[in-house]
Amino acid sequence: MKNADAATAESPVITIRNAAATAKIIVHKLRGNLSVLEGSGGNITVLTGRDGKVLVDTGITRPRVEDALASLSDDPVKHLINSHWHFDHTDGNEWLHSIGAEITAHQNTRKHLSVATRVEDWNFTFPPVPADALPTKIITIDETLHLNGATLELKCYGSAHTDSDISAQFQEDNVISVADTLWNGQYPFIDYGTGGSLDGMIRAAEANVANTDDETIVIPGHGPIGNKSQLIEFRDMLVAVREKVANLKKQGRSRDEVVAAKPTADYDAKWGGFVINGDFFTKLVYAGV
Ligand SMILES: [Zn+2]
C-alpha cells in the first residue's frame, strides 16, 4: 500500500526512535513481581525473581530501560520474549542478549529479523539484525513456561497485527501482555507486508476478550495499562469500522473516495490521537476488506 506522502516524509520509524532517545520511562508496579516499563517504544513487561528477570519486549533505548530495570531488583535479565518482530519491541535484543538474556519468539519473528524487511506504510526497510539479536528459542505452538514461581502461557495468535504475534499470560497474577493486538485507546497498525490481517486482528481481539475476566490486568503493546472492558471497546471499534468501510468498498468506491467519506468520524476523537489517524486507519481497513 502506497502512502502519498511517503517519498518526502520522514519515516515514522526515525521519528519514534528519536523520541525514544529522550523519553522518560515510567515504571508501573502491577501485581506480585510484575511491572511495566512505559515510554520506550512498546510497553515492556517485567517479572522479577530468582530465576532472573523475564521481559516481554525490549523497547528501543538501552540506557533508560537499563536504569529502570535496575530500579526494580538486582536480578539479572535471563529471559526475553519478543511479542512480535517490530523494532519498537525488539530493538533491545542485542544488548539484552549481551548481558545474558535468552530470546524466545515465534518463528516468524526470527524469520523477519533475519532478512531485510520492508514496511511500506512506514517508508522504511529494516536491515537484518546482528546474529546476536536473533531469537534462539523458537515457538510455533502455544507453550507454558515456569519461571520465578509463575506459570507463563505463551499463545500464538496466527495472522493478526503481523504473522508473529504472541501473548504472554501470567496465570497466578491474572495479568496478560497481548502484544500489539491491543492499542489501548488508539487505532492500531496492521502490517500486511509481514502477514497481518484485519480479520485476524478482530479474531485476536475476540480471543483476548474470551481469555480475560473483570480482574485481569491487560498490558497492551501501546497505550495505558488496561482491562477487559477496554478490550471489548477495541474489538467493537474494529468490527464497526470494518463494516462501514466494507460497505463503501462493496459499492465500488475507490480507496480515496472511502477516505473522503470519513467512515471513522464517530471514532476519531477517541482513537485517532496517536500515530494512526482516522484517514490512515481507513486506508488500512480498506486494504483488509
Ligand atoms: Zn507492532
Side-chain angles (χ1 to χ4, degrees):
M1 194 168 98
K2 289 273 188 299
N3 179 336
D5 300 320
T8 49
E10 178 178 81
S11 166
V13 174
I14 308 287
T15 313
I16 290 166
R17 279 182 170 153
N18 286 342
T22 54
K24 189 170 181 297
I25 306 289
I26 302 164
V27 178
H28 302 273
K29 294 265 189 184
L30 303 182
R31 287 184 186 136
N33 297 319
L34 281 162
S35 303
V36 166
L37 311 186
E38 182 185 8
S40 179
N43 291 322
I44 304 169
T45 305
V46 186
L47 174 70
T48 58
R50 62 195 170 122
D51 297 330
K53 289 193 184 86
V54 181
L55 268 60
V56 181
D57 290 341
T58 72
I60 294 172
T61 51
R62 176 172 184 168
R64 287 154 202 277
V65 170
E66 196 165 26
D67 291 347
L69 288 172
S71 79
L72 292 174
S73 76
D74 294 334
D75 311 315
V77 181
K78 288 289 187 190
H79 303 273
L80 165 62
I81 295 150
N82 291 150
S83 70
H84 62 296
W85 78 273
H86 282 155
F87 74 104
D88 48 333
H89 304 259
T90 60
D91 265 5
N93 276 14
E94 190 175 20
W95 80 263
L96 285 161
H97 178 72
S98 78
I99 63 166
E102 178 184 49
I103 307 173
T104 300
H106 189 274
Q107 64 176 355
N108 290 334
T109 292
R110 182 179 166 97
K111 184 175 97 180
H112 298 309
L113 291 177
S114 301
V115 297
T117 302
R118 175 83 181 158
V119 178
E120 198 62 49
D121 286 312
W122 295 344
N123 188 29
F124 201 85
T125 302
F126 295 87
V129 303
D132 283 349
L134 285 173
T136 52
K137 196 170 166 218
I138 301 305
I139 65 170
T140 54
I141 54 167
D142 300 349
E143 225 171 271
T144 303
L145 308 178
H146 299 276
L147 291 166
N148 295 329
T151 308
L152 172 52
E153 285 190 16
L154 305 179
K155 287 192 182 164
C156 306
Y157 284 106
S159 168
H161 166 71
T162 65
D163 62 7
S164 61
D165 311 294
I166 56 177
S167 63
Q169 188 154 21
F170 299 85
Q171 290 296 346
E172 291 81 0
D173 288 320
N174 196 5
V175 173
I176 184 168
S177 158
V178 296
D180 276 6
T181 69
L182 173 66
W183 295 43
N184 198 9
Q186 305 163 1
Y187 290 131
F189 183 55
I190 301 168
D191 188 355
Y192 294 106
T194 58
S197 79
L198 173 64
D199 289 343
M201 277 295 275
I202 293 171
R203 277 193 300 275
E206 295 284 5
N208 289 338
V209 170
N211 211 14
T212 48
D213 60 36
D214 292 341
E215 306 301 319
T216 308
I217 295 176
V218 178
I219 305 166
H222 300 278
I225 294 160
N227 55 35
K228 185 183 181 93
S229 69
Q230 289 162 333
L231 286 169
I232 292 169
E233 278 183 79
F234 181 77
R235 187 254 339 253
D236 291 349
M237 179 276 293
L238 291 179
V239 169
V241 173
R242 185 199 187 287
E243 189 181 349
K244 281 172 185 269
V245 172
N247 285 338
L248 292 165
K249 193 171 180 178
K250 247 182 252 156
Q251 293 165 16
R253 305 238 205 144
S254 70
R255 194 185 74 169
D256 287 348
E257 287 167 346
V258 173
V259 170
K262 299 280 177 205
T264 63
D266 293 345
Y267 299 89
D268 288 348
K270 177 166 170 55
W271 303 91
F274 188 56
V275 173
I276 303 197
N277 63 21
D279 288 356
F280 186 10
F281 188 57
T282 301
K283 291 176 191 174
L284 288 172
V285 174
Y286 187 90
V289 297

